[in-house]
Amino acid sequence: SSLENTSKKTEKELSTGKKVNSAADDVSGMGIVQKLESKTKEYAMQIKNLQNDISAYQTGDSGLKGISDNISSLRELSVKYKNDTLSDEDRKSIEDEAGNILADIEGAASDTEFNTGKLLSNYSVDKLGLSGTTLGDSDLSKKLDSALESVNNGRADFGAKINSAESEAVKLTVANENSTAASSRIEDA
């Protein structure tokens, strides 16, 4: 009966807290709600993707910071190496330390990854122009300047990508909240 159907509908609205529980309650409202809910799920996934992107960019930037610090250490060692009071043994120790630093740079370039994706393969010792470099090289300072410029440009690129992704995530978060609120206004009793 009509009274029984009205009673069931009212009971359903009270139990769910929603005015629209099925297409029979509000045909156009239900269609809009379903579109808004679909859009809300899409926004949530886009936000999650952006958060993953941000994490990858931050990982890359952190790896490049380590490489930058290592290049600065090489510069310090190259100055120390030129000290006339050093013995051959002292110079050998400094060269060994420089070799370890170059190995660290190579390790960071080959091992910095996010979800198995290599992030710094363009920053190997070879690609930075430091392959075969020794502390006695007359052009070492220029090589280090060039390598540092390359690394700094990479960090700037990661920084710009982080800022862009964060900005986009904020926009999508607002859109998601608006979509959820609109859906709730239509559904709520």
Side-chain angles (χ1 to χ4, degrees), residues 84-155:
D84 290 337
T85 63
L86 294 176
S87 68
D88 289 344
E89 187 177 308
D90 293 336
R91 280 194 174 73
K92 174 72 173 112
S93 293
I94 294 170
E95 286 173 353
D96 289 346
E97 187 176 350
N100 289 335
I101 290 171
L102 288 169
D104 287 346
I105 291 172
E106 193 63 33
S110 65
D111 297 341
T112 303
E113 58 181 50
F114 187 84
N115 196 25
T116 71
K118 302 287 185 187
L119 299 176
L120 304 180
S121 56
N122 289 331
Y123 299 94
S124 66
V125 169
D126 186 51
K127 290 186 178 178
L128 289 173
L130 299 175
S131 186
T133 298
T134 63
L135 294 176
D137 288 352
S138 59
D139 62 345
L140 180 59
S141 184
K142 288 180 186 176
K143 288 181 179 181
L144 293 173
D145 287 343
S146 176
L148 193 56
E149 182 179 350
S150 178
V151 169
N152 288 339
N153 288 339
R155 291 195 72 196

Side-chain angles (χ1 to χ4, degrees), residues 32-33 35-41 43 173-185:
I32 293 169
V33 166
K35 286 178 190 176
L36 289 169
E37 287 176 351
S38 175
K39 201 66 176 162
T40 298
K41 289 177 183 178
Y43 289 142
T173 299
V174 169
N176 191 22
E177 289 169 358
N178 290 339
S179 182
T180 301
S183 174
S184 193
R185 281 190 299 275

Side-chain angles (χ1 to χ4, degrees), residues 8-22 25-26 30 33-34 37 180 183-189:
K8 285 183 180 179
K9 181 179 175 189
T10 303
E11 185 180 314
K12 183 81 167 175
E13 287 176 3
L14 289 172
S15 69
T16 64
K18 296 179 180 182
K19 179 175 69 175
V20 179
N21 290 293
S22 70
D25 297 335
D26 181 350
M30 181 57 93
V33 166
Q34 288 182 339
E37 287 176 351
T180 301
S183 174
S184 193
R185 281 190 299 275
I186 294 168
E187 280 186 316
D188 290 350

Side-chain angles (χ1 to χ4, degrees), residues 49-85:
N49 288 346
L50 285 168
Q51 290 168 338
N52 287 337
D53 289 346
I54 291 166
S55 294
Y57 301 146
Q58 289 171 333
T59 301
D61 181 53
S62 178
L64 286 181
K65 176 162 182 353
I67 291 174
S68 175
D69 292 345
N70 280 324
I71 292 170
S72 294
S73 294
L74 283 174
R75 185 178 306 280
E76 289 175 40
L77 288 178
S78 73
V79 171
K80 186 176 182 180
Y81 186 82
K82 293 174 185 174
N83 185 332
D84 290 337
T85 63

